[in-house]
């Protein structure tokens, strides 16, 4: 009960959303001024948000003694963390800003979606019978949720490349 009280007082997911929004703003500010500094601050903000997001999910797992995907609310939180994690990996490998854009965008959107489900009432309720065993919850549902997160990252990355290609073609046409 004490841990649940501390978890609720820390408001980790709201603070993670604040860091994601800050990272988004800093990323776009890097196009205007202080490119390297703002990109670094955006990456740091995204990383801090991811740490808070992970701590929040971990505390929920400890409090409820089960994996973090037993309800739609928890699944959205988990998929949001997966998208941010894979975005950080993309940014670490390519260092071109795509990971920053994807991570801050999807992290923010999915946390705001989860806030809507959180308002439905108790977000730490009992499980339905089919998910009552931690084995199936930990293997099947977690694997599927990781796939959802990877699919969202791939979809936004694909749209980003198409958008960049479209802008490049329009810029070349304008210069003719």
């Amino acid at each position: 009960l004490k841990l649940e009280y501390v978890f609720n007082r820390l408001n980790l997911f709201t603070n993670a959303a604040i860091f994601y929004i800050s990272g988004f703003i800093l990323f776009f500010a890097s196009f205007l001024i202080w490119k390297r500094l703002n990109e670094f601050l955006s990456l740091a903000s995204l990383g801090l948000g991811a740490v808070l997001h992970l701590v929040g999910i971990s505390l929920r797992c400890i409090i409820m003694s089960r994996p973090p995907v037993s309800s739609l609310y928890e699944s959205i939180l988990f998929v949001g963390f997966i998208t941010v994690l894979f975005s950080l990996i993309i940014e670490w490998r390519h260092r071109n800003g795509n990971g920053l854009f994807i991570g801050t965008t999807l992290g923010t959107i999915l946390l705001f979606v989860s806030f809507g489900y959180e308002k439905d009432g108790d977000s730490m309720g009992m499980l339905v019978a089919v998910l009552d065993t931690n084995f199936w919850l930990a293997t099947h549902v977690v694997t599927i949720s990781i796939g959802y997160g990877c699919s969202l990252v791939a979809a936004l990355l694909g749209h980003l490349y198409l958008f960049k290609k479209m802008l490049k073609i329009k810029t070349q046409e304008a210069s003719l």
Side-chain angles (χ1 to χ4, degrees):
L1 191 60
K2 289 179 185 178
L3 187 58
E4 189 173 347
Y5 175 76
V6 169
F7 170 77
N8 287 325
R9 295 282 298 172
L10 289 175
N11 217 0
L12 294 166
F13 299 123
T14 302
N15 291 327
I18 291 168
F19 277 110
Y20 293 155
I21 293 168
S22 300
F24 185 82
I25 292 168
L26 287 165
F27 172 69
F28 280 101
S30 73
F31 291 113
L32 302 174
I33 55 172
W34 306 316
K35 181 171 178 57
R36 294 247 187 235
L37 176 64
N38 280 331
E39 281 181 350
F40 174 76
L41 291 175
S42 176
L43 182 62
S45 184
L46 181 63
L48 286 171
V51 168
L52 292 176
H53 204 150
L54 178 62
V55 169
I57 290 171
S58 299
L59 284 175
R60 286 184 65 87
C61 289
I62 292 168
I63 291 168
M64 296 184 304
S65 300
R66 64 178 186 237
V69 288
S70 60
S71 68
L72 188 56
Y73 168 70
E74 290 175 340
S75 295
I76 293 170
L77 288 175
F78 185 72
V79 169
F81 174 72
I82 293 298
T83 61
V84 170
L85 179 65
F86 279 100
S87 299
L88 285 169
I89 293 169
I90 289 170
E91 186 60 31
W92 175 70
R93 290 196 43 129
H94 298 283
R95 301 182 198 280
N96 59 4
N98 290 344
L100 292 175
F101 174 73
I102 292 168
T104 56
T105 302
L106 289 176
T108 302
I109 289 170
L110 290 172
L111 278 180
F112 275 104
V113 169
S114 74
F115 295 157
Y117 284 100
E118 184 181 32
K119 291 182 181 185
D120 287 344
D122 183 19
S123 66
M124 293 191 191
M126 297 298 293
L127 291 174
V128 295
V130 73
L131 299 177
D132 209 9
T133 63
N134 277 341
F135 174 76
W136 287 114
L137 195 60
T139 55
H140 175 73
V141 181
V142 169
T143 304
I144 296 297
S145 297
I146 290 171
Y148 290 152
C150 293
S151 296
L152 283 172
V153 169
L156 191 56
L157 189 61
H159 281 82
L160 186 62
Y161 279 119
L162 286 172
F163 185 71
K164 285 181 176 181
K165 181 92 170 166
M166 185 179 69
L167 284 179
K168 189 175 185 180
I169 290 170
K170 289 198 182 216
T171 305
Q172 288 173 350
E173 288 175 359
S175 66
L176 294 175

